Amino acid sequence: MIYEIVKNINALQQLKDNDIHKKYIEYIRYPFFRNLAPDSKITFDFPITFLVGKNGGGKSSTLQSLYGCPKGYSLGDYWFTTELDPIKEFDKNRNCFIYGYKDNGSINEVIKQRIYRDNDPDYWETAKPIKRYGMLNSQRFSPIEKDVVYLDFRTELSAFDKFFHFLKFRSNTHKTKQDFLRFYSNKLKEAFDTNKIISYYSPNRNKPKVVLTKIETKIVSEILRKEFETIEIIEHNLFKDWGTSIRLKQKNINYSEAFAGSGETAIVILVHKIFNAEKESLILLDEPETSLHSGAQKRLMSFLIEQCIKKKHQVVISTHSPFLIENMPNDSIKVFSTLSSSGKFVIDNDRNYKEAFHELEIENTNKKNILVEDKIAQIVIDKTLEKLGKATQDIFETKYLSGGADDINQRLTTIMEFTDDTYVVFDGDQKKLQMPIDLNSIPLNQQDTSIKLKALIKSQTGCDVKFYLNGGNQSKELKEKETHSLAKKYLEFYNRNVFYLPLSIPEDIIWDEVFAKKLLKLIQPEKDISAITNISTNSKELLFNFCRECYGENTQYESTILQFVANWINKEDSSYTYIKDLINQLKN
């Protein structure tokens, strides 16, 4: 199953890379929108996108904004002002979102902005391009034309569950809810059996019955691992409010949603709606894993991928499930986290699934995290931890972050907001200063503005770091004060939590020419080490060329690295002592 999913993921990536989709939202950005940090942006690098983060982190409101992107759809259907929860607007900075889609090879940007009207206080309209938001075009483009399927699985209740668990019961003719359901279930059975429109006390109590096709029924059966012969759906208001009822038929048993699990009802509705969606639809799913066990979640993901390949859908999923995003490309995972300084939500556009679920505290949050920029650095630190013993090893978790040092330096603006037990160990060549900047040793007149502090940060990191500020119509003085505070916090965090490997790159640490000669003699006795050293300019090339000379290919590169690391660990040289002492420092 995993092999098939990975193969289909690769096929889906090729469709995106080859620009097969004709109606595709490339990105959405938020100059000012609800509780997102100003100028937040999501890039849709893969046809299926996952929004991951804690509850109340802005994922659902982001899905709703996507619902409002295509022509004929409005965010006002889901987000509207009330006396209790009024939506506040600023004169210049109104709630809005901007998205881009391709048209004949170029990007059309569309801005949708909330405009108050007396007869419609929740009206969203396509506005003229706004220069201060950096819009690409000068002309107003029409919204993308795309069908939308939006399913919120926390509220996708069956008609039975909605009535029995949530509606207040009042009846002059029935003593209990059970009596009421027994009576009106007869009417519902009549609608299922005859496909009639019931008109009991009022006309049109139901819509025509829908019978799932054999293919749809097979898909539901595969996801739920049950053998269904027929599946029927009816929308009705026989249980006081409009809702959906299903009837499932197996070989020896028939039952409705009253006896089905809520997961079964949700899957029937999802499969039917997605299977019958128009080509290149925008599919928005809010927590589809609700009431599904892990195996069903994985099979659901397989179905979604197949439908995306066949119909070129664009899918965005809000989820708390590691089973849905496992094996997915890093750039398909968007992590929502909260800035403690402002309460605003920020979005990281490229995280692997293990990193993403650190945000949800699914992993052991008692562990200290060590972030590195290189896979070999991760192996070096992990092997050192292993040698130091299980007690020390259990304290730490080493994580390799793709994207390089500059990307990690930027991520620290978020990391510093919610943890002090995360450390960074950069390669030695990232060390720009002999000693980290300690603000206590710098005169106040050299750190009294954000510009001066940013210059210090650049001297430390080698890059320009962007800080996320509070929204609203802030004065320049307030923005300067907030930026200054965040920059100061960044430098203090850097001083406490950022360290470096003893040599320029981790390959320098593990390369050992004496060991290489011995290993080469064992594997390729006719070859000489000079054949490797003469064509290599650094330790990275030495290890790469050594692997190729020994094995004739590079598939054994990781095992070669592990051999050199084991040799290095056994030597316990000065680099090992340096890293061991660093780990003991972090431990305490």
Side-chain angles (χ1 to χ4, degrees), residues 140-197:
R140 183 189 302 196
F141 289 104
S142 297
I144 191 170
E145 296 190 28
K146 197 173 179 72
D147 287 330
V148 181
V149 175
Y150 181 28
L151 296 173
D152 184 346
F153 288 85
R154 297 163 302 177
T155 60
E156 281 292 327
L157 299 173
S158 69
F160 178 92
D161 286 337
K162 190 183 294 186
F163 172 80
F164 194 78
H165 297 291
F166 297 100
L167 289 183
K168 193 170 183 179
F169 176 69
R170 287 177 183 168
S171 175
N172 296 324
T173 55
H174 302 95
K175 292 182 179 180
T176 65
K177 281 187 175 182
Q178 290 86 342
D179 288 339
F180 181 94
L181 286 168
R182 271 190 282 268
F183 180 82
Y184 279 97
S185 289
N186 286 328
K187 303 296 181 185
L188 181 57
K189 183 176 184 298
E190 181 184 349
F192 270 121
D193 289 343
T194 65
N195 200 20
K196 287 182 179 178
I197 303 298

Side-chain angles (χ1 to χ4, degrees), residues 505-516:
I505 55 176
E507 289 87 346
D508 289 345
I509 294 171
I510 64 173
W511 172 255
D512 183 336
E513 188 165 327
V514 174
F515 175 73

Side-chain angles (χ1 to χ4, degrees), residues 204-215:
N204 302 329
R205 299 293 301 273
N206 62 286
K207 295 180 181 179
K209 177 178 68 175
V210 173
V211 181
L212 269 62
T213 64
K214 288 184 178 180
I215 297 176

Side-chain angles (χ1 to χ4, degrees), residues 20-227:
I20 299 299
H21 296 78
K22 301 306 176 189
K23 294 188 289 185
Y24 189 92
I25 298 173
E26 299 288 338
Y27 59 83
I28 187 167
R29 54 192 183 94
Y30 303 92
F32 291 90
F33 184 73
R34 301 193 73 168
N35 286 324
L36 291 179
D39 300 317
S40 294
K41 182 178 181 179
I42 299 175
T43 55
F44 299 104
D45 310 283
F46 187 70
I48 302 177
T49 301
F50 300 90
L51 311 182
V52 178
K54 298 172 185 173
N55 283 326
K59 304 184 302 298
S60 292
S61 56
T62 301
L63 279 183
Q64 290 163 7
S65 69
L66 286 163
Y67 169 88
C69 286
K71 187 175 182 179
Y73 295 88
S74 174
L75 173 58
D77 293 346
Y78 292 97
W79 187 39
F80 47 87
T81 189
T82 66
E83 288 294 326
L84 185 62
D85 298 295
I87 298 174
K88 296 180 180 179
E89 300 285 6
F90 300 97
D91 290 338
K92 291 184 178 179
N93 299 322
R94 308 189 68 82
N95 278 286
C96 66
F97 53 88
I98 299 167
Y99 66 92
Y101 67 94
K102 281 186 181 177
D103 183 28
N104 294 322
S106 62
I107 295 289
N108 291 353
E109 275 201 333
V110 176
I111 180 170
K112 281 200 170 182
Q113 193 167 241
R114 187 174 179 273
I115 303 294
Y116 183 87
R117 292 183 172 181
D118 290 338
N119 61 341
D120 187 356
D122 301 294
Y123 180 73
W124 288 77
E125 72 172 8
T126 303
K128 292 180 181 178
I130 299 176
K131 287 185 178 180
R132 69 177 182 276
Y133 294 159
M135 294 191 70
L136 299 176
N137 317 109
S138 58
Q139 68 182 98
R140 183 189 302 196
F141 289 104
S142 297
I144 191 170
E145 296 190 28
K146 197 173 179 72
D147 287 330
V148 181
V149 175
Y150 181 28
L151 296 173
D152 184 346
F153 288 85
R154 297 163 302 177
T155 60
E156 281 292 327
L157 299 173
S158 69
F160 178 92
D161 286 337
K162 190 183 294 186
F163 172 80
F164 194 78
H165 297 291
F166 297 100
L167 289 183
K168 193 170 183 179
F169 176 69
R170 287 177 183 168
S171 175
N172 296 324
T173 55
H174 302 95
K175 292 182 179 180
T176 65
K177 281 187 175 182
Q178 290 86 342
D179 288 339
F180 181 94
L181 286 168
R182 271 190 282 268
F183 180 82
Y184 279 97
S185 289
N186 286 328
K187 303 296 181 185
L188 181 57
K189 183 176 184 298
E190 181 184 349
F192 270 121
D193 289 343
T194 65
N195 200 20
K196 287 182 179 178
I197 303 298
I198 304 299
S199 297
Y200 188 76
Y201 278 116
S202 62
N204 302 329
R205 299 293 301 273
N206 62 286
K207 295 180 181 179
K209 177 178 68 175
V210 173
V211 181
L212 269 62
T213 64
K214 288 184 178 180
I215 297 176
E216 291 174 88
T217 303
K218 183 181 179 182
I219 292 168
V220 173
S221 298
E222 287 175 352
I223 293 174
L224 297 175
R225 287 287 165 91
K226 293 185 176 183
E227 292 296 326

